[in-house]
Amino acid sequence: MTATTYKAGTRLKSAVCDTQIMILRIPPTPVTITCGGHPVLPMAETPAAGITVDAAHAEGTLTGKRYVDEAESLEFLCTKGGAGGLAIDGVALGVKQAKALPSSD
């Protein structure tokens, strides 16, 4: 797997499931984005035949959810859900949690 430098606004798709994402925020350094254990592809590229979701990376993605790393230095919007889980450089991403609003008295 080779690391690539991406820009915000780039749309990508999984090579092994229906997942599609849009990059909202990403560091300017090369990273390897995977879904289902395999590198993601540009929208126009056709996936190779015969590859499937790696069971260790089958957390699934949900349409409309934002996925972030632990430091929230990068953020993806899932535009189409699927069976594979997202990861950056081998570290799984989680769903971004809503921030609690301050109480008003």
Side-chain angles (χ1 to χ4, degrees):
M1 290 185 240
T2 59
T4 305
T5 302
Y6 294 97
K7 294 183 195 177
T10 301
R11 293 185 61 218
L12 302 165
K13 67 180 179 181
S14 172
V16 295
C17 69
D18 292 334
T19 300
Q20 294 180 7
I21 60 171
M22 182 181 350
I23 298 173
L24 301 179
R25 181 177 52 223
I26 195 158
T29 56
V31 294
T32 301
I33 304 171
T34 59
C35 182
H38 300 277
V40 294
L41 306 171
M43 293 301 288
E45 196 170 318
T46 304
I51 56 175
T52 59
V53 174
D54 182 335
H57 303 277
E59 301 85 34
T61 53
L62 301 170
T63 302
K65 296 293 183 184
R66 293 173 184 243
Y67 288 82
V68 295
D69 62 346
E70 193 171 302
E72 292 192 16
S73 62
L74 54 88
E75 185 173 347
F76 303 135
L77 174 64
C78 181
T79 57
K80 185 175 182 184
L86 295 170
I88 293 287
D89 297 330
V91 179
L93 302 180
V95 174
K96 183 175 183 177
Q97 300 300 315
K99 294 185 179 178
L101 296 174
S103 62
S104 58
D105 293 330

